[in-house]
Amino acid sequence: MIRKTGVKSIGIRCPIIRTGDNLQKIVVDSVIDAVNSEGMTLNNKDVVAITESVVARAEGNYATIDQIATDIKNKFGTDTIGVIFPITSRNRFAILLKGIARGAKKIVLLLSYPSDEVGNAFLTYDELDEKNVNPYSDVLDLKKYRELFGYKKHEFTGVDYIDYYQKLIEAENAECEIVFANHAKAILNYTKNVLCCDIHTRVRTKRILKENGAEKVFGLDEILTSSVNGSGYNEKYGLLGSNKATEDTVKLFPREECKSLVLNIQKDFKDKTGKNIEVMVYGDGAFKDPQGKIWELADPVVSPAFTDGLRGTPNELKLKYLADNDYKDLSGDALKDAIKDSIKKKDTDLKGKMVSEGTTPRQLTDLLGSLCDLTSGSGDKGTPVILVQGYFDNYTND
């Protein structure tokens, strides 16, 4: 029978995972049980993806606000700290800010505008134009900002993050000053000691600050890179990729040991099913919401660990290009056969060739991670493991 479907992304229900659980066994058993119960089969090059949240939970990779505060004190002493370019998120950053403020006497909070790094907006560009504000050069203090733009709440959360962050800092008995700017050097008018909280631009931000006279410069990726008073840690990403766990603790991004997890899961599938399954850990997908303008990727990477078969980018022909150009005079079975023949004969590297124009030039793990993140959601679906089938198939596979 000719196959009538292509890629399938399937959420796999699992037990609630706790610290110390055997995640390898849970993942493998859950996938095999789900496949059997649904009358499906596993195939070579199927992909099993595990959300980073349950990986870190099984690792027990947590830290408290007090442990964050201790590392902040270790890094900055009692100096005023410039906290620059944080995202506006109760889940991602607010609890980190509590720990940072607890470890400081004064925070100068520099917020980018009209939105944060991942697109959470305070304002629109139209509002900036109306008030004749140039976001590329103008530095606004809180008083001036309020005079111009007043008090606004986030479209989806209903939170005034400026007020929320200020109160959060002051609740930790730290003085708070808020500034709005889009160039890192602006913070140096307030303090030479800076914690860079941006995610994907952090290397450049730290370089600019150091080149312009900053004295102590650290990023979130340099806080809790080793255990502090028994805390969890992440040797590569520090606090980047962390999420709120409780009112006093954060769950950190999975450590580098999760590479051995995906390899062991792959081996377990091979031993139990005879199939070569690709395995990855995924966090935030890399996509942008057209309504809220939020770019989802608040993690430092989409996938912190994956098996070797997931390296690289797609190497695909654009079928509509072939249909509209090379084979525009064909139809029916003749067109289908011609396109299948082109796929079978395609070059191993189509980069720069017209027949691949318009295909998605992204890493496989970024594409798959985005697919899996959308499938699992971030709420109560209860599917922290995703089975993707047919991803590496094409029009020639029946």
Side-chain angles (χ1 to χ4, degrees), residues 83-354:
V83 176
I84 73 169
F85 300 152
I87 63 173
T88 48
S89 169
R90 292 167 296 175
N91 174 47
R92 289 287 193 166
F93 187 72
I95 192 163
L96 303 185
L97 186 56
K98 287 175 68 175
I100 295 163
R102 190 171 293 184
K105 290 185 176 180
K106 180 177 179 179
I107 297 290
V108 180
L109 184 65
L110 190 151
L111 300 170
S112 57
Y113 73 99
S115 67
D116 68 10
E117 181 185 4
V118 297
N120 290 296
F122 300 120
L123 306 164
T124 67
Y125 279 97
D126 289 332
E127 289 172 308
L128 296 180
D129 293 342
E130 180 184 337
K131 299 296 184 179
N132 198 30
V133 173
N134 185 342
Y136 304 103
S137 61
D138 292 349
V139 178
L140 309 175
D141 62 18
L142 181 58
K143 181 180 178 181
K144 184 63 175 178
Y145 179 91
R146 292 300 194 193
E147 287 176 358
L148 290 169
F149 304 111
Y151 293 77
K152 294 173 66 82
K153 294 183 178 180
H154 190 278
E155 177 183 7
F156 293 141
T157 65
V159 174
D160 179 339
Y161 280 98
I162 300 165
D163 183 62
Y164 177 55
Y165 278 2
Q166 181 178 15
K167 289 179 178 176
L168 190 152
I169 292 168
E170 292 172 345
E172 296 298 328
N173 299 313
E175 185 182 348
C176 177
E177 185 172 359
I178 297 179
V179 181
F180 300 84
N182 289 311
H183 47 92
K185 288 187 291 184
I187 195 64
L188 299 178
N189 293 320
Y190 302 85
T191 178
K192 305 297 183 185
N193 307 295
V194 187
L195 178 64
C196 302
C197 300
D198 44 344
I199 305 162
H200 306 289
T201 56
R202 64 188 185 276
V203 173
R204 178 174 182 266
T205 299
K206 286 187 271 189
R207 174 181 60 78
I208 289 171
L209 289 168
K210 291 174 182 178
E211 289 175 352
N212 286 276
E215 295 172 0
K216 296 178 183 176
V217 178
F218 295 95
L220 285 180
D221 58 330
E222 296 170 289
I223 307 299
L224 290 189
T225 54
S226 59
S227 183
V228 174
N229 298 334
S231 73
Y233 63 94
N234 190 299
E235 59 276 270
K236 187 173 183 180
Y237 297 119
L239 288 177
L240 287 182
S242 59
N243 283 273
K244 179 179 179 180
T246 70
E247 294 303 320
D248 297 303
T249 60
V250 296
K251 176 191 60 58
L252 304 177
F253 207 52
R255 294 198 293 266
E256 292 186 342
E257 288 91 333
C258 65
K259 176 66 175 184
S260 62
L261 173 69
V262 298
L263 292 174
N264 289 336
I265 289 174
Q266 183 181 55
K267 182 179 183 302
D268 210 358
F269 273 118
K270 180 68 172 178
D271 292 343
K272 291 182 176 180
T273 69
K275 302 298 181 181
N276 296 308
I277 306 297
E278 302 296 344
V279 184
M280 64 182 286
V281 176
Y282 70 95
D284 275 348
F287 48 83
K288 186 172 183 177
D289 170 50
Q291 175 65 29
K293 307 296 188 281
I294 298 169
W295 181 42
E296 178 70 8
L297 187 56
D299 288 325
V301 292
V302 172
S303 178
F306 49 88
T307 50
D308 290 343
L310 299 179
R311 294 187 184 279
T313 59
N315 188 58
E316 299 175 336
L317 299 175
K318 194 74 171 180
L319 295 194
K320 67 181 182 181
Y321 179 88
L322 292 174
D324 291 343
N325 291 273
D326 294 35
Y327 306 123
K328 62 183 179 181
D329 296 325
L330 299 180
S331 62
D333 287 342
L335 175 60
K336 181 172 68 174
D337 292 342
I339 287 179
K340 284 186 174 182
D341 188 58
S342 291
I343 294 172
K344 291 175 182 177
K345 294 178 179 177
K346 68 182 177 182
D347 293 340
T348 56
D349 185 1
L350 293 169
K351 185 184 295 184
K353 293 187 169 66
M354 189 61 70

Side-chain angles (χ1 to χ4, degrees), residues 49-91:
I50 309 111
T51 181
E52 58 83 19
S53 176
V54 297
V55 176
R57 191 184 305 153
E59 288 177 341
N61 201 17
Y62 293 85
T64 67
I65 291 173
D66 284 336
Q67 289 164 335
I68 293 171
T70 297
D71 207 21
I72 291 294
K73 291 176 184 176
N74 292 341
K75 297 290 195 308
F76 289 100
T78 59
D79 297 317
T80 296
I81 304 172
V83 176
I84 73 169
F85 300 152
I87 63 173
T88 48
S89 169
R90 292 167 296 175
N91 174 47

